[in-house]
Amino acid sequence: MGCATKIFIGIFNYKFIRIVLKIGTNVIITPKGGLDTGKLLDIAQDVLSLKNSGHEVVLITSGAVAAGKILAPALSSVHRKVLAAIGQPLLMKSYETSFKAVGLQTGQCLLSKSDFFSREMYNNATASLTGFFEAGVIPVVNENDVVAASSLNFGDNDSLAAMLAIAVKADVLLLLTNQPGLLSGDPHKDKDAKLISVVTRVDKEIERLCSKTMSESGRGGMISKVKAAQQAVFAGVTTFIADGRERHIIKRILEGGEIVGTRFISCAVGNLNEQKRWLMASKGFGQIIVDSGAADALRQGKSLLMPGVLAIKGFFEPGSIVEVASGGEIVSYGKINYSDKDLQAALLLKHSGGSVKVVIKKEVIHCDYMIILK
Ligand code: GLU
């Protein structure tokens, strides 16, 4: 969809495009901490023009915790979940009012990571969102902060946005924040920092550019946006990171014809069947580092076995979808048969010369439940 060109050619000439919009806290909360109703109306107007052109939109918004602080200023961020519980109704009401003003109906959709855990739950969550499209209602999604377990939560809505974009087969994902996009340096320290307008591949150099000081009030920062973009483009979703505070930014990006924000060019791994789409969408935060021999074997369609595992990062349970990496490159996503604790125990045994077969009796990841990314 216009991805090979330097300048995005836009979507308005296309008949039917599905778009996922992620709105960061710093886009809709003013510097003084209030809800920016003018911005909400601007978003609603842009969504209306997309809808009038026959396109479908999923909106993911942060801001529940910040809205909670408006209503309960005495509560500190230690009470994050309580603040989210207080703020989510205000956030939702504000969206509802702004969207109603342009004639659009919104509906709240709170999701937790566990809603993607099994294939069945993922199918249910995806079907619910499809129901919104059929009903002509704009789903306004946020993480269900109140019930999210800290080891299981999305951590930031960027990751949730990538998951949903893949799950609903979106064509475009917009991650709107308080930065013009990915910059060549930290604008607080480097006056010459420039916008990187196109990224064809997320590599170590791109990750290095994600200074933590960029995008401060959201939880994720720039690195989580770039990681989300990487996940989405693997599944064929063209992704933008842009400054959501600019007027009618959504429409401007999607109209194409000008350089706005950073565009991550999609590099689909081929036709995704439903199982592969689930694997792509539901990737959690676990990572398995493997040696080059194991990486080659995976690329040849083999399963991942314990001898090839060098290290593990993050938390996961049997059945979680994890990332497999080698030499700093992501090789695949796959459904793992063991927990992080089991694999740590096996690695300890491996290093002390013991038999890992005591803990690991089958493949770490079976090839039928793996998708190779490169
Ligand atoms: N779900 C959180 C909220 O609504 C935001 C997480 C994030 O910063 O992305 O406040």
Side-chain angles (χ1 to χ4, degrees), residues 62-65 80 142 145 156-157 218-219:
S62 301
V65 173
R80 204 185 129 72
N142 194 358
D145 294 300
D156 59 78
N157 278 339
R219 289 186 91 197

Side-chain angles (χ1 to χ4, degrees), residues 215-234:
S215 175
E216 281 162 343
S217 26
R219 289 186 91 197
M222 193 53 78
I223 185 70
S224 87
K225 285 166 191 55
V226 168
K227 287 276 178 198
Q230 183 180 36
Q231 186 176 352
V233 296
F234 275 145

Side-chain angles (χ1 to χ4, degrees), residues 22 24-27 29 66 69 77 80 155-156 158 176-179 186-189 211-225 245:
K22 187 260 171 175
T25 297
N26 36 39
V27 172
I29 298 288
K69 282 186 183 153
S77 304
R80 204 185 129 72
D156 59 78
D158 302 319
L176 299 179
T177 182
N178 62 349
Q179 293 294 327
D186 178 347
H188 297 114
K189 297 176 192 154
S211 156
K212 287 204 162 165
T213 54
M214 298 170 179
S215 175
E216 281 162 343
S217 26
R219 289 186 91 197
M222 193 53 78
I223 185 70
S224 87
K225 285 166 191 55
R245 298 166 307 172

Side-chain angles (χ1 to χ4, degrees), residues 251-266:
K251 201 156 171 259
R252 274 178 59 208
I253 294 174
L254 295 174
E255 269 172 354
E258 64 171 318
I259 293 178
V260 199
T262 302
R263 175 164 54 111
F264 293 77
I265 293 184
S266 77

Side-chain angles (χ1 to χ4, degrees), residues 188-250:
H188 297 114
K189 297 176 192 154
D190 174 7
K191 275 199 248 99
D192 297 326
K194 286 196 180 61
L195 176 73
I196 296 174
S197 55
V198 178
V199 174
T200 46
R201 185 164 165 267
V202 175
D203 54 18
K204 285 203 152 149
E205 178 58 19
I206 293 292
E207 287 183 20
R208 201 185 55 76
L209 298 177
C210 303
S211 156
K212 287 204 162 165
T213 54
M214 298 170 179
S215 175
E216 281 162 343
S217 26
R219 289 186 91 197
M222 193 53 78
I223 185 70
S224 87
K225 285 166 191 55
V226 168
K227 287 276 178 198
Q230 183 180 36
Q231 186 176 352
V233 296
F234 275 145
V237 185
T238 299
T239 302
F240 289 82
I241 299 175
D243 192 339
R245 298 166 307 172
E246 284 185 29
R247 289 199 66 208
H248 296 302
I249 187 78
I250 298 167

